[in-house]
Amino acid sequence: MLYNHNPTLTDVPKAIDESRQGETVYWEQVMPGPPSRKRFYIESYGCQMNFSDSEIVAAVLAEDGYAPTRILEESDLILINTCSIREKAEETVRKRLRLFDAVKRQRPGVLVGVLGCMAERLKKKFLEEEKLVDIVVGPDAYRDLPKLVANAEDGEKGINVFLSREETYADISPLRLDSNGVSAFISIMRGCDNMCSFCVVPFTRGRERSRDAFSIVAEATHLFEQGYREVTLLGQNVDSYKWQNPETGKVVSFAELLEMVALVHPHLRVRFTTSHPKDMTDEVLYTMARHDNICKYIHLPVQSGNSRILQLMNRTYDREWYLQRIEAIERILPDCAISSDIITGFCTETEEEHRDTLSIMERANYAMSYMFAYSERPGTLAAKKYRDDVPEEVKKRRLNEVIHLQNQISLRHNQADIGKTFEVLIEGDSKRSKDEFKGRNSQNKMLVFPKQPGLTPGDYVRVRVVAATTATLLGEIVS
Ligand code: SAH
Ligand code: SF4
Ligand code: F3S
């Protein structure tokens, strides 16, 4: 039974958060089992944490006898793992729910469950507002899904939005749903203890907690044995990872965890996201420098280049501190690529302050950025304390300026790679052609190059860059 062809789902948006599009991937790993098993269909929106959580959910449901399907119309349980980060993300989810409604009317008995951040944010309101929703489950309550589904089958609406201080799902082996068989996510922590004033995440994901370091290493080892060659360690603020071994009392820092995972195998690439500028230590940078298999790429969101705005955002660093972190990266890891997240039109932002963002982008020389217009989120500090007073068209215009500049910087960054040779991990066929492979270099840049016989996804090849666009490097394999 294969799920990698499904013409009815061509309209399903993937990784819908406008910026965080993952690469198109296939459901290669399928659950064996009799066709009589009930099937669940799951769609994920938002950040990689959500995609990673969907694999936990899939594992919990598989244990309960459900098999995954990519075909919406043949599922018994439709799940949507939601994001609340911006208003638009929530609108997208509501649109999908309208579509599920239509499916449900054709096939009575089908259950619809809302998971993730929007479930946590809206709680009971979801059941009241969206009559078709049967189950509402927050990010820390996925172990409860089988019970909630069983209750819903008996006609009882189910909700669990309890936020835990301990849950890390450390013992659950994720069911890799959307896998290319080469790269996988590993959640190393959950929640966030920062209180960036614009951000809804601390409210939807709860307190920060770190996962057992040995369970992380075990998951990475298992993935390597299955043929995976790249893991991305996930957390909202990986630099504040801190796990105390209950037996020895020893505390494992992020730098130490990174080293432990890097030592799993020299052919296992290690990536991580997201780094917070206030917490990113030189120790992490030195650990990266010591291990070739820790990728030389850091996602270090700046949000704004202006110190007053950063203070209003409660980011707890200023422009100078951020630039000093950039200098540390350049000094310790000269070949490291840096990317960023940027918000335009935050409360009270002036033109001059906006220009500080443009100038910090130039200085940091970002390989790429995820860029957003500020979207006020109910319940956040900014919503309570500040007026969302930058007119929508000004936010959009500033966003366009930021995007335009980033395109120029990205192109320049990529053109500087022409003539260089990189080690590339083959991920699969390029989007354009079956005769070409695509894969990333250590700096997280996508390279596209003609195939050579005998190579398969998961292999490392050396590729020389011959041309560049804003988003891709074009190359050829060198022997
Ligand atoms: N933990 C990460 C960010 C997670 S959210 C960090 O601290 O960097 C991803 C990005 O969404 C943020 O970096 C920010 O740029 C953007 N974002 C968050 N809340 C937003 C809002 N209310 N409006 C617009 N963009 C927002
Ligand atoms: Fe949100 Fe800030 Fe936490 Fe990132 S660090 S998730 S932006 S509160
Ligand atoms: Fe969205 Fe929740 Fe991630 S709000 S960005 S899915 S943590």
Side-chain angles (χ1 to χ4, degrees):
M1 216 182 336
L2 278 170
Y3 297 99
N4 58 5
H5 174 68
N6 176 19
T8 60
L9 284 182
T10 44
D11 66 325
V12 173
K14 272 188 163 304
I16 218 51
D17 176 318
E18 325 72 278
S19 66
R20 304 248 153 171
Q21 295 119 334
E23 284 303 304
T24 307
V25 281
Y26 308 101
W27 287 36
E28 277 170 357
Q29 188 183 1
V30 293
M31 284 298 298
S36 60
R37 283 173 70 179
K38 289 205 169 183
R39 292 165 199 279
F40 71 93
Y41 166 93
I42 187 162
E43 234 170 65
S44 308
Y45 296 82
C47 62
Q48 289 109 325
M49 294 290 302
N50 251 18
F51 284 76
S52 171
D53 278 3
S54 291
E55 298 185 335
I56 302 277
V57 167
V60 169
L61 288 172
E63 181 76 8
D64 194 46
Y66 272 79
T69 174
R70 286 203 69 170
I71 304 169
L72 178 59
E73 292 79 3
E74 75 169 35
S75 61
D76 305 288
L77 172 62
I78 302 172
L79 297 172
I80 182 160
N81 199 352
T82 60
C83 175
S84 286
I85 201 81
R86 285 168 288 277
E87 204 177 342
K88 211 165 135 202
E90 293 201 347
E91 280 164 17
T92 311
V93 167
R94 292 199 189 270
K95 250 189 245 149
R96 291 303 291 168
L97 285 172
R98 297 281 100 76
L99 185 117
F100 298 161
D101 202 7
V103 175
K104 204 172 165 171
R105 262 186 264 123
Q106 278 169 11
R107 294 184 60 215
V110 172
L111 298 174
V112 174
V114 179
L115 317 175
C117 291
M118 211 173 152
E120 190 64 51
R121 192 176 85 73
L122 292 166
K123 301 185 169 64
K124 228 170 55 211
K125 260 203 254 163
F126 234 125
L127 293 177
E128 292 155 11
E129 285 172 20
E130 304 274 351
K131 297 287 175 235
L132 82 144
V133 172
D134 302 289
I135 307 161
V136 174
V137 193
D140 286 344
Y142 296 143
R143 288 180 201 267
D144 207 23
L145 256 170
K147 196 186 87 200
L148 294 168
V149 172
N151 290 352
E153 280 168 346
D154 293 337
E156 191 188 314
K157 299 235 172 195
I159 179 164
N160 187 343
V161 287
F162 175 73
L163 281 176
S164 159
R165 277 175 176 258
E166 284 96 34
E167 182 62 274
T168 59
Y169 302 112
D171 57 312
I172 296 181
S173 175
L175 182 68
R176 307 283 166 189
L177 291 172
D178 251 354
S179 172
N180 59 7
V182 178
S183 27
F185 294 129
I186 303 183
S187 281
I188 64 163
M189 57 206 294
R190 301 183 69 82
C192 183
D193 277 356
N194 293 317
M195 271 288 171
C196 302
S197 62
F198 52 79
C199 185
V200 78
V201 172
F203 305 96
T204 62
R205 296 241 155 203
R207 298 305 297 269
E208 182 181 291
R209 64 223 99 118
S210 297
R211 174 179 167 189
D212 180 326
F214 296 114
S215 77
I216 296 168
V217 173
E219 192 173 328
T221 308
H222 182 60
L223 284 164
F224 185 78
E225 285 163 355
Q226 287 180 305
Y228 286 82
R229 289 295 173 264
E230 183 175 87
V231 294
T232 303
L233 309 181
L234 291 182
Q236 292 298 351
N237 179 4
V238 288
D239 299 281
S240 68
Y241 175 89
K242 202 164 133 200
W243 177 75
Q244 185 171 29
N245 185 334
E247 276 152 36
T248 61
K250 191 186 167 314
V251 172
V252 179
S253 70
F254 179 60
E256 288 162 332
L257 176 74
L258 203 50
E259 184 138 71
M260 286 163 75
V261 180
L263 290 172
V264 165
H265 198 285
H267 290 161
L268 182 70
R269 275 186 173 179
V270 187
R271 299 187 183 278
F272 55 88
T273 194
T274 300
S275 302
H276 195 298
K278 85 172 152 67
D279 296 318
M280 193 198 63
T281 60
D282 287 358
E283 199 197 342
V284 167
L285 302 179
Y286 286 118
T287 305
M288 291 173 74
R290 273 201 305 279
H291 296 274
D292 281 345
N293 60 329
I294 304 182
C295 290
K296 303 302 178 278
Y297 168 68
I298 300 177
H299 184 56
L300 193 70
V302 69
Q303 313 298 358
S304 164
N306 176 269
S307 295
R308 188 186 73 88
I309 294 294
L310 285 169
Q311 191 173 12
L312 291 187
M313 286 177 163
N314 202 24
R315 287 291 284 183
T316 68
Y317 55 85
D318 60 11
R319 183 180 170 99
E320 285 63 43
W321 173 275
Y322 187 88
L323 288 174
Q324 173 254 330
R325 293 290 73 209
I326 295 287
E327 280 158 22
I329 297 171
E330 289 169 346
R331 188 175 67 246
I332 300 166
L333 300 166
D335 61 346
C336 188
I338 305 169
S339 63
S340 194
D341 291 351
I342 290 163
I343 298 177
T344 63
F346 187 66
C347 314
T348 74
E349 185 190 65
T350 65
E351 282 307 314
E352 203 184 335
E353 289 164 340
H354 161 62
R355 282 197 294 275
D356 284 344
T357 298
L358 298 174
S359 72
I360 211 165
M361 292 170 68
E362 282 278 7
R363 169 61 193 89
N365 191 27
Y366 296 128
M368 61 99 144
S369 294
Y370 300 103
M371 297 156 282
F372 317 99
Y374 173 58
S375 161
E376 186 179 81
R377 308 309 294 133
T380 55
L381 290 182
K384 287 185 197 149
K385 272 169 63 181
Y386 312 124
R387 265 189 50 220
D388 181 12
D389 58 356
V390 178
E392 219 44 46
E393 63 275 13
V394 175
K395 285 181 189 171
K396 289 276 147 61
R397 197 252 304 144
R398 289 181 191 167
L399 178 62
N400 285 335
E401 287 175 17
V402 161
I403 292 172
H404 181 70
L405 177 62
Q406 184 57 58
N407 284 342
Q408 289 177 337
I409 301 173
S410 296
L411 183 61
R412 204 169 64 206
H413 206 290
N414 286 349
Q415 281 171 342
D417 287 336
I418 295 175
K420 291 185 194 165
T421 299
F422 293 105
E423 180 170 77
V424 172
L425 174 61
I426 302 175
E427 289 179 17
D429 290 351
S430 86
K431 276 185 201 136
R432 236 179 20 190
S433 157
K434 290 252 169 293
D435 301 325
E436 287 173 343
F437 277 135
K438 65 170 183 188
R440 282 166 210 276
N441 65 5
S442 175
Q443 288 72 16
N444 206 36
K445 289 193 184 175
M446 188 58 86
L447 282 92
V448 171
F449 47 94
K451 285 184 181 176
Q452 273 184 12
L455 292 168
T456 54
D459 288 342
Y460 288 97
V461 279
R462 295 190 61 76
V463 178
R464 197 168 59 87
V465 178
V466 296
T469 69
T470 1
T472 316
L473 302 178
L474 308 173
E476 55 196 21
I477 297 175
V478 292
S479 47

